[in-house]
Amino acid sequence: MRNKYLLSILLLFIIIFLPSCNKQVPVGQNRVVVAISSDIESTNPLFAFTIDEGTISELLYLSLVQHDWNYETGNMTTSPSLAKSWDWNKDSSSITLNLRDDVKWTDGLLVTARDVVFSFDVYSDPLVQSKLYGSFKDFYTDTAMHVDLKKTFDVINPYKLTINFKKHSASSFYDIDFPIIPEHIYKNASRKDLVTAEKELKPVTDGPFELASWNKNQSIILTANKKSFLYNSEDIDELIFKIVPDYYSQLTQLKQGEIDFMQDIRADDYPLLKREDNLILTALKGREYDYIGWNNLDPGVYKKSKKIISNKLFGNPAVRIALTYAINRGEILHEFLNNHGEAAIGPMAPIFSSAVDTSLKPLPYSPDKAKQLLASTGWKENKSTSTLEKNGIGFSFTLYIPSGNPRREFAATVIQNNLREIGIKMDIEKLEPEVFFQKMYAREFDAWMAGWSVSIPPDLKQFWYSKLEDAPLNVAGYQNKAADKILDEIESTRSEKLQDELYIKLQDIIYKDNPVTFLYWIDNLMAYNKRIKNFKLTPLGPFHRCWEWSVK
Amino acid sequence: MITFLFFLLRIAPGDPSQKFISPDLSPRLAAIVRQSFDLNNSLFDQYKTFVFNIVKGDFGISYTYRVPVIEVIRQFLPFTVIFSLISFSIQISAGFLLAMFAVKRINGPGDKIISRTSIIVYALPSFVIGVALIFIFSGLLNIFPSSGLSSFDFDSYSFFEKAADYARHMVLPVITLSLGGIAVYFKYLRDSLEDAYNKSFVENLRANGFKESEIIKKHVIPNAVSPLIAVAGVELGLQFGGALITEVIFALPGMGRLTVNAILNRDYPLVIGCTFISGLLIIITNLAADLLKAKMDKRIVKEILN
C-alpha cells in the first residue's frame, strides 16, 4: 500500500515535469539579459548606494544633463537631457536651465521645475539621509548641509529656472547631475520615514526605462519607456538584470546565451571565453587600483590623542620608496591578471589622459636598490639572521587584507616573498571585509592592502589632503603642505586646463613622497553576446546609453 | 536563544551603518547618519527595547531592506518551506524504497551497488552535484534552466504553465538538495531494517505462519523507522533554515541566502528574525517528530504518563 502511495507521488511528478521539459528558453526576443551577482535593495535614486542600484535608478529617472566621454581629451562632455539648453552667467556662479516641456512621469503628469527644486531639497535633507547627503558643497546650505532653497533657486516658469551657487565655489555640471524625483509622489511622505516609506511607493519614473517587475533575489525587469524622447523603435524592449550569485553559474549562462552580458570576468577564464563564437570580449580600462597602504602616522598615538606623529616604520618617504622598489608588481600583473592591467605610478587613472604626468615611470622591481635605500635610512642587514635591523630591532610588520579577494591574497603572498628576500618579515592577516574596512577608516593599521576607485571627475582632495577631518579617505595619514596648496587650488578653479596642470604637479609630489605603494590599475573584463548591437563601452560604464542597444 | 543572539551580534565586530555612510562624508555628518541606527544607546537599553518589541511580535526594521523584518521573512520563507518539504519527502521516500529494495536482497549485488553508490553520493559536496547537473542538463542537453525560480515571462503564463515553469526550475535544485539526504536515510533505514529483520520476534512470527508482507508492514517497519523519525525531525528543521549552497548555485530566493547576507551586512534585526524563525521551525519539527513517535509506539505515552 505504502509503495503504491509513493509510486503515485512519483507519477504526479512525472506528469508535471514531462510537458515542461519541452519548453525551451525563448531566444531572439527583443530583450537583453544582464547578470548581476546580488540583488539591489532599492530602485530609488535617493538610496542607490551600490553601483547596480545607481545604474538601475539612473535608467529609471532622468537627470538634468547627461555626460559622454571624449577619448581625445580624456574628459567628459555635457549634453542635454531633462534640460534642453542652459546659460551660465559670467562668473559661473549661476546657471539658467530651460527644461523640456514634453517629459512626463509614468503617471501622466509633466516633469517641471518644481520637481527639480524638490529633488535638491530632498537629496540634501539630513532627515532623508540620501546617498548624496553632504555633497552639496557648492550650494548655499544651512549648517546641516541642507540646501537653502530660497537663495538657490529662482523659478521663472514651470520649464525655466535659475540655480545660484555659493560665491567662489567651483560650480560645474557635476553639481546638478543626479536623477530628479517626482514631487507629487514624495511630498506628503514624512522625510524621516522616507527611507522605509519608499518601499510602499509605486515607482513613478520618467527615464528611458520603467520598472516592469522586481522578483526579489531573482530579477529586475525594465521595459522601454516608449513615451520617452530617448526611445527609438529600433531599441531594445526589455533590459533584465538577472541575479546570479555564483560566478561559475554566470559563466555557464553566458556561454549558453541565457544571459547576454557579464562583467568582472576573471583573467583566468578570459582565454576560454575567447573560443566562444557567440561572444564578444572587451575590457574597460580601469579607474580602480590596488595599493599597499603604509600608515604615515603612528596609529596608536593618533587613536588616543588625534596627534600626528610620524610612523616608526613607514613615516620616512625613503623607506616607502624602498618598499615599492622591493615589490614585483610585474609578477602579479603577469601571473594573476594575465596582463589585463598596468603598473600604477600615482593616484590619477590613465584614462584622464590630459591630467596624467606621462613623464613619470613606475618604479622598477629592484631588490638591490631597495636594500641601498633602506641602508641609507639605518636599516642594515644582520648577516647571521639575514634580516634588516635598526637599533637592534628587526624590520617586521603585519599586512592586513580583506578576506575573500583572491587577487589580493595572491599579491600578498608575492609581496611577502619579495620582502623576505631583502630581509623584511611580513605576516599576512585576513580580516572579514566589514571589520577590515571599519579598522582601515579608523586608521588602525600600520600596513594594509586595499583598492580605490577614482571618480569622474577626479576628486583627489579627500584622499591626499593633510587635514584629516576634511579627508576621510586619507587613511594613510599623508601630510604635505605643498600638496594641500595644490588641492585647494584645484577645488577653487573652474578651468579644466588649469586643473589638469595642477593635477600633474600633484602627481610629481606624490610620486616623490610615495605615501602608499600604488600597485596596478585593473581592467574590468567583460563579455557580451554578439546579438547586442550599439554596445559602446566608455569609462562611464557598460550601461552608458544602453537604451540605444538593439538586438539582431 | 534571543538574548544569546542579541549579545553575540553586538560583540561581533562591524558597524551596520557603515554601508550607508559615504566614505567621503565628514565625521560630523557621518555621526548624524549613524545616530539614526539607534546604536548609540546603552546596550542594556537596546536590549530592553528589543525584548519588549519581540514580545509584541515586532522584530524591528531590516537595515538593508528597510521594511519590517517579518515582511522580509514572509517573502523568503514560503519558498524555503515548500522547497524543503518537496526535497524532504523525496529524501525519505526514495531512501525508504531503496532501503526496502536492498534489505530484501541483503548482501546481494543489488544491495552492494546501492550501498556503495550511496557512500559516494553522500561524500559529494552539493556544489559539485549542482554544478555537474547544470553542466549536463542545462549546458549539454538544455532540458532544464540553470538558475532562478521562474522565467522572465512568468506573469503572462496561464495557471498550468506557471506550475510547469516552477516545476521545471525546481528539478535540478531539488535533486541537488535531495541526493545527499537520500543516501543518509537509505543508510539509516537499511541498517535498522536489517536489525529488525534479525530480531527473534520476526523468526517467531514466521514460525507462527504470518505472511512475510504482514510481518514487514506491521512489525519490521514500525520497529525500524522509529529511530529515524527523531533524525528526520531535526533534519527537516535544519532544511527550513535554508540550503545556502543550493540557493547560491541556482540563484534561489531562500532563507539561507537571506540569513548569510544579513550576517555579512550586519543587519542585526534581520539576523535575529531569521535565526528566531529557523529555531522555531526546528522546535516545531522536533515536536512533530516526537508526536509521531508517540503515535507509533504507545509505550512512550505510557512512560510519560507514569
Side-chain angles (χ1 to χ4, degrees), chain A residues 335-359:
Chain A
E335 296 293 326
F336 194 90
L337 292 169
N338 284 348
N339 297 323
H340 291 296
E342 59 180 296
I345 44 163
M348 185 57 86
I351 56 158
F352 300 104
S353 47
S354 54
V356 171
D357 188 346
T358 46
S359 68

PDB file of all heavy atoms in Angstrom, chain A residues 335-359:
ATOM      1  N   GLU A 335      51.137  37.083 -13.669  1.00  0.00           N
ATOM      2  CA  GLU A 335      50.666  35.776 -13.201  1.00  0.00           C
ATOM      3  C   GLU A 335      49.179  35.755 -12.877  1.00  0.00           C
ATOM      4  O   GLU A 335      48.481  34.797 -13.167  1.00  0.00           O
ATOM      5  CB  GLU A 335      51.441  35.343 -11.952  1.00  0.00           C
ATOM      6  CG  GLU A 335      52.917  35.122 -12.166  1.00  0.00           C
ATOM      7  CD  GLU A 335      53.190  33.929 -13.072  1.00  0.00           C
ATOM      8  OE1 GLU A 335      52.428  32.964 -13.010  1.00  0.00           O
ATOM      9  OE2 GLU A 335      54.165  34.002 -13.847  1.00  0.00           O
ATOM     10  N   PHE A 336      48.698  36.798 -12.229  1.00  0.00           N
ATOM     11  CA  PHE A 336      47.301  36.746 -11.790  1.00  0.00           C
ATOM     12  C   PHE A 336      46.358  37.478 -12.750  1.00  0.00           C
ATOM     13  O   PHE A 336      45.284  36.994 -13.058  1.00  0.00           O
ATOM     14  CB  PHE A 336      47.154  37.339 -10.385  1.00  0.00           C
ATOM     15  CG  PHE A 336      45.835  37.004  -9.759  1.00  0.00           C
ATOM     16  CD1 PHE A 336      45.695  35.854  -8.998  1.00  0.00           C
ATOM     17  CD2 PHE A 336      44.702  37.786  -9.977  1.00  0.00           C
ATOM     18  CE1 PHE A 336      44.474  35.501  -8.454  1.00  0.00           C
ATOM     19  CE2 PHE A 336      43.476  37.444  -9.442  1.00  0.00           C
ATOM     20  CZ  PHE A 336      43.370  36.299  -8.673  1.00  0.00           C
ATOM     21  N   LEU A 337      46.811  38.638 -13.225  1.00  0.00           N
ATOM     22  CA  LEU A 337      45.903  39.427 -14.068  1.00  0.00           C
ATOM     23  C   LEU A 337      46.108  39.144 -15.560  1.00  0.00           C
ATOM     24  O   LEU A 337      45.417  39.755 -16.391  1.00  0.00           O
ATOM     25  CB  LEU A 337      46.105  40.913 -13.792  1.00  0.00           C
ATOM     26  CG  LEU A 337      45.655  41.384 -12.397  1.00  0.00           C
ATOM     27  CD1 LEU A 337      46.135  42.802 -12.133  1.00  0.00           C
ATOM     28  CD2 LEU A 337      44.133  41.346 -12.276  1.00  0.00           C
ATOM     29  N   ASN A 338      47.018  38.237 -15.887  1.00  0.00           N
ATOM     30  CA  ASN A 338      47.299  37.929 -17.302  1.00  0.00           C
ATOM     31  C   ASN A 338      47.511  39.213 -18.106  1.00  0.00           C
ATOM     32  O   ASN A 338      47.034  39.344 -19.242  1.00  0.00           O
ATOM     33  CB  ASN A 338      46.164  37.112 -17.931  1.00  0.00           C
ATOM     34  CG  ASN A 338      46.209  35.676 -17.487  1.00  0.00           C
ATOM     35  OD1 ASN A 338      47.199  35.249 -16.898  1.00  0.00           O
ATOM     36  ND2 ASN A 338      45.143  34.948 -17.735  1.00  0.00           N
ATOM     37  N   ASN A 339      48.159  40.163 -17.466  1.00  0.00           N
ATOM     38  CA  ASN A 339      48.475  41.473 -18.073  1.00  0.00           C
ATOM     39  C   ASN A 339      47.253  42.312 -18.429  1.00  0.00           C
ATOM     40  O   ASN A 339      47.351  43.236 -19.230  1.00  0.00           O
ATOM     41  CB  ASN A 339      49.378  41.293 -19.308  1.00  0.00           C
ATOM     42  CG  ASN A 339      50.706  40.677 -18.925  1.00  0.00           C
ATOM     43  OD1 ASN A 339      51.253  40.983 -17.855  1.00  0.00           O
ATOM     44  ND2 ASN A 339      51.205  39.783 -19.745  1.00  0.00           N
ATOM     45  N   HIS A 340      46.115  42.020 -17.821  1.00  0.00           N
ATOM     46  CA  HIS A 340      44.935  42.877 -18.022  1.00  0.00           C
ATOM     47  C   HIS A 340      44.966  43.990 -16.988  1.00  0.00           C
ATOM     48  O   HIS A 340      44.129  44.056 -16.079  1.00  0.00           O
ATOM     49  CB  HIS A 340      43.646  42.066 -17.912  1.00  0.00           C
ATOM     50  CG  HIS A 340      43.445  41.114 -19.041  1.00  0.00           C
ATOM     51  ND1 HIS A 340      43.277  41.530 -20.333  1.00  0.00           N
ATOM     52  CD2 HIS A 340      43.417  39.768 -19.082  1.00  0.00           C
ATOM     53  CE1 HIS A 340      43.141  40.490 -21.114  1.00  0.00           C
ATOM     54  NE2 HIS A 340      43.230  39.397 -20.378  1.00  0.00           N
ATOM     55  N   GLY A 341      45.927  44.835 -17.091  1.00  0.00           N
ATOM     56  CA  GLY A 341      46.061  45.953 -16.161  1.00  0.00           C
ATOM     57  C   GLY A 341      47.397  46.602 -16.418  1.00  0.00           C
ATOM     58  O   GLY A 341      48.132  46.191 -17.322  1.00  0.00           O
ATOM     59  N   GLU A 342      47.728  47.648 -15.672  1.00  0.00           N
ATOM     60  CA  GLU A 342      49.051  48.261 -15.854  1.00  0.00           C
ATOM     61  C   GLU A 342      49.566  48.785 -14.530  1.00  0.00           C
ATOM     62  O   GLU A 342      48.766  49.169 -13.653  1.00  0.00           O
ATOM     63  CB  GLU A 342      49.009  49.370 -16.903  1.00  0.00           C
ATOM     64  CG  GLU A 342      48.070  50.505 -16.607  1.00  0.00           C
ATOM     65  CD  GLU A 342      48.088  51.582 -17.705  1.00  0.00           C
ATOM     66  OE1 GLU A 342      49.134  52.200 -17.897  1.00  0.00           O
ATOM     67  OE2 GLU A 342      47.039  51.772 -18.346  1.00  0.00           O
ATOM     68  N   ALA A 343      50.901  48.782 -14.390  1.00  0.00           N
ATOM     69  CA  ALA A 343      51.502  49.232 -13.137  1.00  0.00           C
ATOM     70  C   ALA A 343      51.136  50.704 -12.908  1.00  0.00           C
ATOM     71  O   ALA A 343      51.104  51.497 -13.856  1.00  0.00           O
ATOM     72  CB  ALA A 343      53.004  49.068 -13.210  1.00  0.00           C
ATOM     73  N   ALA A 344      50.852  51.044 -11.668  1.00  0.00           N
ATOM     74  CA  ALA A 344      50.399  52.401 -11.356  1.00  0.00           C
ATOM     75  C   ALA A 344      51.577  53.252 -10.896  1.00  0.00           C
ATOM     76  O   ALA A 344      52.494  52.766 -10.234  1.00  0.00           O
ATOM     77  CB  ALA A 344      49.336  52.351 -10.272  1.00  0.00           C
ATOM     78  N   ILE A 345      51.510  54.548 -11.282  1.00  0.00           N
ATOM     79  CA  ILE A 345      52.562  55.459 -10.815  1.00  0.00           C
ATOM     80  C   ILE A 345      52.024  56.408  -9.755  1.00  0.00           C
ATOM     81  O   ILE A 345      52.770  56.970  -8.984  1.00  0.00           O
ATOM     82  CB  ILE A 345      53.149  56.297 -11.974  1.00  0.00           C
ATOM     83  CG1 ILE A 345      52.013  56.829 -12.867  1.00  0.00           C
ATOM     84  CG2 ILE A 345      54.150  55.497 -12.764  1.00  0.00           C
ATOM     85  CD1 ILE A 345      52.432  57.963 -13.748  1.00  0.00           C
ATOM     86  N   GLY A 346      50.724  56.572  -9.740  1.00  0.00           N
ATOM     87  CA  GLY A 346      50.145  57.517  -8.793  1.00  0.00           C
ATOM     88  C   GLY A 346      48.646  57.380  -8.776  1.00  0.00           C
ATOM     89  O   GLY A 346      48.101  56.438  -9.350  1.00  0.00           O
ATOM     90  N   PRO A 347      47.948  58.329  -8.149  1.00  0.00           N
ATOM     91  CA  PRO A 347      46.502  58.158  -7.953  1.00  0.00           C
ATOM     92  C   PRO A 347      45.630  58.621  -9.120  1.00  0.00           C
ATOM     93  O   PRO A 347      44.410  58.607  -9.000  1.00  0.00           O
ATOM     94  CB  PRO A 347      46.235  59.019  -6.725  1.00  0.00           C
ATOM     95  CG  PRO A 347      47.253  60.091  -6.778  1.00  0.00           C
ATOM     96  CD  PRO A 347      48.456  59.525  -7.452  1.00  0.00           C
ATOM     97  N   MET A 348      46.242  59.072 -10.251  1.00  0.00           N
ATOM     98  CA  MET A 348      45.405  59.548 -11.353  1.00  0.00           C
ATOM     99  C   MET A 348      45.284  58.465 -12.416  1.00  0.00           C
ATOM    100  O   MET A 348      46.287  58.002 -12.973  1.00  0.00           O
ATOM    101  CB  MET A 348      46.038  60.820 -11.947  1.00  0.00           C
ATOM    102  CG  MET A 348      45.207  61.476 -13.016  1.00  0.00           C
ATOM    103  SD  MET A 348      43.537  61.921 -12.469  1.00  0.00           S
ATOM    104  CE  MET A 348      43.826  63.514 -11.749  1.00  0.00           C
ATOM    105  N   ALA A 349      44.036  58.060 -12.700  1.00  0.00           N
ATOM    106  CA  ALA A 349      43.818  56.967 -13.647  1.00  0.00           C
ATOM    107  C   ALA A 349      44.307  57.360 -15.042  1.00  0.00           C
ATOM    108  O   ALA A 349      44.082  58.491 -15.481  1.00  0.00           O
ATOM    109  CB  ALA A 349      42.340  56.608 -13.687  1.00  0.00           C
ATOM    110  N   PRO A 350      44.953  56.428 -15.758  1.00  0.00           N
ATOM    111  CA  PRO A 350      45.485  56.743 -17.094  1.00  0.00           C
ATOM    112  C   PRO A 350      44.412  57.232 -18.078  1.00  0.00           C
ATOM    113  O   PRO A 350      44.740  57.928 -19.035  1.00  0.00           O
ATOM    114  CB  PRO A 350      46.064  55.414 -17.569  1.00  0.00           C
ATOM    115  CG  PRO A 350      46.280  54.613 -16.343  1.00  0.00           C
ATOM    116  CD  PRO A 350      45.284  55.063 -15.343  1.00  0.00           C
ATOM    117  N   ILE A 351      43.135  56.889 -17.813  1.00  0.00           N
ATOM    118  CA  ILE A 351      42.095  57.321 -18.769  1.00  0.00           C
ATOM    119  C   ILE A 351      41.949  58.851 -18.797  1.00  0.00           C
ATOM    120  O   ILE A 351      41.512  59.407 -19.788  1.00  0.00           O
ATOM    121  CB  ILE A 351      40.720  56.689 -18.456  1.00  0.00           C
ATOM    122  CG1 ILE A 351      40.280  56.991 -17.033  1.00  0.00           C
ATOM    123  CG2 ILE A 351      40.714  55.210 -18.748  1.00  0.00           C
ATOM    124  CD1 ILE A 351      38.788  56.878 -16.844  1.00  0.00           C
ATOM    125  N   PHE A 352      42.326  59.526 -17.704  1.00  0.00           N
ATOM    126  CA  PHE A 352      42.254  61.001 -17.704  1.00  0.00           C
ATOM    127  C   PHE A 352      43.533  61.515 -18.367  1.00  0.00           C
ATOM    128  O   PHE A 352      44.394  62.111 -17.727  1.00  0.00           O
ATOM    129  CB  PHE A 352      42.138  61.532 -16.274  1.00  0.00           C
ATOM    130  CG  PHE A 352      40.934  61.033 -15.542  1.00  0.00           C
ATOM    131  CD1 PHE A 352      41.039  60.037 -14.581  1.00  0.00           C
ATOM    132  CD2 PHE A 352      39.676  61.565 -15.811  1.00  0.00           C
ATOM    133  CE1 PHE A 352      39.929  59.572 -13.913  1.00  0.00           C
ATOM    134  CE2 PHE A 352      38.555  61.093 -15.145  1.00  0.00           C
ATOM    135  CZ  PHE A 352      38.675  60.095 -14.200  1.00  0.00           C
ATOM    136  N   SER A 353      43.648  61.267 -19.686  1.00  0.00           N
ATOM    137  CA  SER A 353      44.941  61.435 -20.354  1.00  0.00           C
ATOM    138  C   SER A 353      45.524  62.837 -20.209  1.00  0.00           C
ATOM    139  O   SER A 353      46.727  62.994 -20.082  1.00  0.00           O
ATOM    140  CB  SER A 353      44.818  61.049 -21.822  1.00  0.00           C
ATOM    141  OG  SER A 353      43.672  61.638 -22.371  1.00  0.00           O
ATOM    142  N   SER A 354      44.668  63.880 -20.193  1.00  0.00           N
ATOM    143  CA  SER A 354      45.223  65.231 -20.132  1.00  0.00           C
ATOM    144  C   SER A 354      45.693  65.606 -18.728  1.00  0.00           C
ATOM    145  O   SER A 354      46.348  66.610 -18.542  1.00  0.00           O
ATOM    146  CB  SER A 354      44.189  66.240 -20.631  1.00  0.00           C
ATOM    147  OG  SER A 354      43.000  66.070 -19.913  1.00  0.00           O
ATOM    148  N   ALA A 355      45.329  64.803 -17.722  1.00  0.00           N
ATOM    149  CA  ALA A 355      45.714  65.139 -16.348  1.00  0.00           C
ATOM    150  C   ALA A 355      46.788  64.194 -15.808  1.00  0.00           C
ATOM    151  O   ALA A 355      47.098  64.226 -14.622  1.00  0.00           O
ATOM    152  CB  ALA A 355      44.477  65.105 -15.444  1.00  0.00           C
ATOM    153  N   VAL A 356      47.325  63.350 -16.703  1.00  0.00           N
ATOM    154  CA  VAL A 356      48.325  62.382 -16.235  1.00  0.00           C
ATOM    155  C   VAL A 356      49.719  62.834 -16.642  1.00  0.00           C
ATOM    156  O   VAL A 356      49.931  63.271 -17.783  1.00  0.00           O
ATOM    157  CB  VAL A 356      48.022  60.983 -16.840  1.00  0.00           C
ATOM    158  CG1 VAL A 356      49.156  60.018 -16.551  1.00  0.00           C
ATOM    159  CG2 VAL A 356      46.736  60.437 -16.266  1.00  0.00           C
ATOM    160  N   ASP A 357      50.637  62.768 -15.692  1.00  0.00           N
ATOM    161  CA  ASP A 357      52.016  63.129 -15.997  1.00  0.00           C
ATOM    162  C   ASP A 357      52.707  61.939 -16.672  1.00  0.00           C
ATOM    163  O   ASP A 357      53.095  60.978 -16.011  1.00  0.00           O
ATOM    164  CB  ASP A 357      52.742  63.499 -14.692  1.00  0.00           C
ATOM    165  CG  ASP A 357      54.117  64.064 -14.974  1.00  0.00           C
ATOM    166  OD1 ASP A 357      54.589  63.917 -16.117  1.00  0.00           O
ATOM    167  OD2 ASP A 357      54.714  64.648 -14.054  1.00  0.00           O
ATOM    168  N   THR A 358      52.833  62.046 -18.002  1.00  0.00           N
ATOM    169  CA  THR A 358      53.374  60.897 -18.738  1.00  0.00           C
ATOM    170  C   THR A 358      54.894  60.763 -18.581  1.00  0.00           C
ATOM    171  O   THR A 358      55.473  59.755 -18.984  1.00  0.00           O
ATOM    172  CB  THR A 358      53.037  61.010 -20.239  1.00  0.00           C
ATOM    173  OG1 THR A 358      53.319  62.348 -20.643  1.00  0.00           O
ATOM    174  CG2 THR A 358      51.590  60.691 -20.516  1.00  0.00           C
ATOM    175  N   SER A 359      55.533  61.795 -18.001  1.00  0.00           N
ATOM    176  CA  SER A 359      56.996  61.701 -17.837  1.00  0.00           C
ATOM    177  C   SER A 359      57.369  60.770 -16.679  1.00  0.00           C
ATOM    178  O   SER A 359      58.494  60.302 -16.589  1.00  0.00           O
ATOM    179  CB  SER A 359      57.582  63.091 -17.587  1.00  0.00           C
ATOM    180  OG  SER A 359      57.147  63.558 -16.328  1.00  0.00           O
TER     181      SER A 359
END
